[in-house]
Each structure stands twice: as C-alpha cells, then as structure tokens.
Amino acid sequence: MEIMKTFYSMVILSSLALLAMGCQKDPLKNMTDDESRIYITDHDSTARFSDFHTFCVSDSAALIVNGQSKMQFTAADAAYIQAVKDQMQARGYVLVSKNDNPDLGLTVNRIISTTTGVISYGSYWDYYDTYWDPYYWGYPGYGYYLPYSYAVYQVSEGAVSIDMVDLKDANKNQKLDVIWTGLIRGSGIYNDSVAPVTVKALFDQSPYLQTN
Amino acid sequence: MSINLNYNYSFPLSDFKSNLVGNASPRGFTGNILYHANPILSIGLGFGYQDYFQKYPRQVYNYGQSQQISAVLSNSVQTIPVMARVEFSPFLKTLTSVRPYVSAAAGANFISNTQYLGEFSNPSNSTGFIAQGGFGIKIPFMKFNNWGADIGGTYNYAPYKKFGYKNLDNVNVHAGIYFNLSE
C-alpha cells in the first residue's frame, strides 16, 4: 500500500513538473483578430490641422507588393476609401473633388511583402512618388517630404497605410508635405467589413485632426 | 546525495508585478541535486523554470513627440535559474518524521522576455543574477525513508535592468518529492 502511495505521488508530482515545463502560455493562442491589430499614427507636430478645411481621397488604392505598385479598387479598397471620407467629414472637413483645389489629399495603400525580408517603412517613403506621382494631385515636379521619422516599426507581412498630404501649401513650400500617416497591421485587415472600425481607430487616436 | 523535483507556483513582486507581469504563474517547477556534506548541511545545484504571462487591454501608447500606437500589449517572461545551493536542516537529529530546513542559493538567471504589440513580438534574451532564500519541510514516506515529500517557499531577488525595468523579484510556494540516493 505504501509502495503504491509513493509511486503514485512520484508519478503525479513528476507529471505536474513536466507539464508545467511544457505549458508555456502562447500569447498568440486565443488572440482575436481585433486583439492582433495595431494602429500606428504619426503627424507633423508643427502642422495646424484646423487651418485645413477641404479634402479629397484617392479614387483607388495603391497595391504595393515588394516595392512594386499598381492601382486597384476592390471591395476592401472601396470600404477603406469610404471610411476615410466618413472620418474626415465627422471631424469637420469638407469633401471636394480633386479638381476643386482641396487643402488635403489622402491616399489609401495596401503594402504586402511576399519575400523573406522585410520592407522598412523608410523604403516605403523612398519610393512614394512612384506609387503616387505628384502629378496625381496636380503638382508635377514636386517631391514628397515626410517631416518626421517613422522608423520604429517594419512592415514584414502586410499593412494598410493611409497618408495625408498638405496640398494647400504645396506651391508655397515647393513640395508635398505628408503631415499625417496611419498604419494598420494585424490579422484580417484586407476586409471591407473591418475597414470602418480600423480607420476609426486611427482617427480616434489622432484628436488633433479637427477643423476647429 | 539527494535529488528533488517540485511543482512551483510563483507570485511576482515589486517592479516585476507593477510594470511587467502582475499575474501569478502556475506554470513552473524547481529541482535540486544536493550532496550531504554532513548530517545537517547539504550543498549542490538548484535549477528551475517559470513562465509568466499577462495581457493588457487595448491602450494608446505615445512614442516620442508625435507618434501614437494603439495595441493590446502582452508580456511573456520565462526564467530559468541555475544556482549554487546550500540547505541547512538544524533539527535533523531531534526530529525524525518531519525535517524542517532553510536554504540559500545564488547564481545565474536565464531570462526570455517577449513583448507583443498585437500579434507582433519583440523578443529579448538576457542573463542576470539571482539570489534565493527559502524554507520548507521534508516529510519521509513511512517505511521508505529515502523518499519523501518536500513542501516550502522561496523568495527570489532577481535584478533585471532592461527596457527601464528594475527586477523580476518573486515569491514562490512549491510541493514535490525528494529521493536520497545515499545517506
């Protein structure tokens, strides 16, 4: 009887110890798509966003795969473009057409890397004028300028980027200043049903985006 | 010579608890291999493993002057201490059924600390110092004095100077078995 008690105690406690060793909590297990997502925003801290009143959004999205881009307009792209319009209007900005000299231009971009390496956000900006020719906004010959560093994170799988360009001061500055950027990363982001929620998250954490 | 293996339940303390992982960890074990220098003093090696985890609700974090990141933040910390250990059983000669002991240990703490922003991880491995004080009782199984149960507690002092953190201090309770290979 005592032998059996000893044996069972050994088996139970040894099993518990080995089980504990093998039971590292996996943070990605049971993580919902919403929990997997991160929203990163940055802006030109010298910009006065209340000085801008009108805006337009690109009529299609740039699909950037391994640094090569093409324009596209899927259901998800349409949903993202519409969500950007909704959020800008909710903050007092007036939607106008591209031909009506908008103060702000916004682009929607899907960034995908299928290579084993990563696309740094720095290189994303290096080739920005190949995705969005300044001619698109009516300012051929101007270059884009990002007045802040966006080097904390790298795009290794996929992301949706929304960028805001200062068109009002383009002629005065002789360049197209990017004054706000939003980046969405995580699971299930290329989906029209999640576009409103994810874009709202970007704007909600940017309370300075107001006309007054 | 004796060996023992324990299930370990750990409670983070101080800076570890307030800034990294507040949750207690039920996922761990400890073990010892001890040489009986004399009837009341044993010296040897202590080792262990503990997994700590905590997920914090979505929050907006500020980076620098102009950047904000909204994320569900998860901290996952694993520690593997390997220590020189001394165990002192002062009442061994007067008590036969229950053997209280106190212990002290010090050595290296192998630390894996991975912070997740959403599903994106930022792993970091490092080695630190760890010192331990503890107490417990050993209860021999009847008729089989070479085997017995070990129940006790320990306090770990574990400095951790990375990413602005100060320590991984913790207090633990354990239960397990010991086996005397020779008297």
Side-chain angles (χ1 to χ4, degrees):
Chain A
M1 191 65 179
E2 289 299 328
I3 292 174
M4 292 308 290
K5 277 185 181 177
T6 305
F7 176 74
Y8 286 134
S9 298
M10 283 171 53
V11 170
I12 290 168
L13 290 168
S14 299
S15 300
L16 279 173
L18 292 171
L19 200 63
M21 190 178 180
C23 281
Q24 180 178 330
K25 196 108 173 181
D26 182 358
L28 300 182
K29 198 175 180 182
N30 301 321
M31 181 175 276
T32 66
D33 282 357
D34 177 62
E35 289 176 336
S36 78
R37 292 177 197 132
I38 62 172
Y39 307 103
I40 307 171
T41 52
D42 210 335
H43 68 286
D44 179 356
S45 54
T46 66
R48 292 164 55 94
F49 290 92
S50 59
D51 288 348
F52 302 93
H53 301 288
T54 60
F55 76 100
C56 77
V57 186
S58 57
D59 52 10
S60 56
L63 174 65
I64 302 162
V65 181
N66 300 328
Q68 302 294 314
S69 70
K70 68 175 184 179
M71 294 299 132
Q72 67 170 24
F73 190 71
T74 65
D77 299 325
Y80 272 102
I81 290 168
Q82 185 58 49
V84 172
K85 290 177 180 175
D86 293 343
Q87 290 302 318
M88 287 293 285
Q89 289 175 312
R91 282 153 181 80
Y93 297 99
V94 177
L95 177 64
V96 298
S97 82
K98 197 170 63 173
N99 298 324
D100 290 333
N101 296 318
D103 295 339
L104 296 166
L106 289 102
T107 64
V108 174
N109 310 277
R110 287 172 53 175
I111 310 167
I112 296 171
S113 172
T114 59
T115 60
T116 52
V118 295
I119 303 170
S120 73
Y121 215 60
S123 64
Y124 167 75
W125 286 109
D126 289 344
Y127 298 101
Y128 199 72
D129 55 358
T130 66
Y131 318 142
W132 297 100
D133 191 323
Y135 176 77
Y136 180 84
W137 302 113
Y139 297 96
Y142 289 2
Y144 287 99
Y145 175 67
L146 186 70
Y148 45 88
S149 170
Y150 211 143
V152 174
Y153 288 89
Q154 292 181 307
V155 179
S156 58
E157 293 153 0
V160 171
S161 169
I162 298 165
D163 305 315
M164 181 184 291
V165 182
D166 175 3
L167 302 177
K168 184 165 74 85
D169 302 308
N171 280 329
K172 184 178 76 178
N173 298 333
Q174 297 288 294
K175 56 185 171 29
L176 295 171
D177 285 340
V178 179
I179 57 173
W180 179 85
T181 48
L183 189 69
I184 303 163
R185 297 183 62 190
S187 298
I189 58 173
Y190 298 138
N191 188 321
D192 53 343
S193 66
V194 305
V197 175
T198 56
V199 173
K200 184 175 186 300
L202 292 178
F203 279 81
D204 283 349
Q205 69 188 57
S206 308
Y208 44 82
L209 289 177
Q210 289 285 347
T211 52
N212 50 40
Chain B
M1 180 85 82
S2 69
I3 58 173
N4 82 332
L5 192 62
N6 306 304
Y7 169 75
N8 196 68
Y9 198 102
S10 183
F11 302 87
L13 298 174
S14 64
D15 182 66
F16 185 19
K17 180 179 181 179
S18 55
N19 291 322
L20 200 51
V21 176
N23 290 340
S25 164
R27 298 172 299 279
F29 78 91
T30 61
N32 303 300
I33 301 171
L34 297 174
Y35 168 74
H36 300 297
N38 61 51
I40 60 172
L41 185 69
S42 303
I43 57 173
L45 188 70
F47 55 89
Y49 169 86
Q50 199 76 35
D51 173 52
Y52 301 91
F53 175 77
Q54 183 148 11
K55 181 160 66 176
Y56 294 91
R58 182 173 292 281
Q59 191 176 329
V60 177
Y61 300 93
N62 292 314
Y63 283 78
Q65 285 190 326
S66 59
Q67 189 171 139
Q68 284 79 39
I69 298 177
S70 164
V72 171
L73 189 148
S74 306
N75 287 326
S76 175
V77 177
Q78 292 78 45
T79 58
I80 301 175
V82 178
M83 301 173 287
R85 179 181 173 92
V86 177
E87 204 170 282
F88 183 57
S89 305
F91 306 114
L92 191 60
K93 289 180 177 174
T94 54
L95 296 173
T96 53
S97 58
V98 176
R99 300 174 182 175
Y101 67 87
V102 292
S103 65
N109 195 18
F110 298 98
I111 302 159
S112 171
N113 176 13
T114 303
Q115 186 170 80
Y116 291 79
L117 288 178
E119 65 182 13
F120 304 98
S121 64
N122 181 26
S124 168
N125 296 315
S126 58
T127 304
F129 171 75
I130 185 168
Q132 183 186 83
F135 66 95
I137 53 172
K138 292 184 177 178
I139 308 166
F141 293 130
M142 291 303 176
K143 297 181 183 175
F144 299 97
N145 282 334
N146 283 341
W147 292 90
D150 181 345
I151 301 167
T154 55
Y155 168 80
N156 286 329
Y157 167 74
Y160 181 60
K161 309 291 185 190
K162 288 192 80 172
F163 311 117
Y165 300 120
K166 295 175 183 170
N167 63 63
L168 299 177
D169 292 357
N170 57 79
V171 64
N172 307 271
V173 291
H174 69 256
I177 55 170
Y178 71 89
F179 176 57
N180 289 323
L181 298 171
S182 60
E183 288 296 336

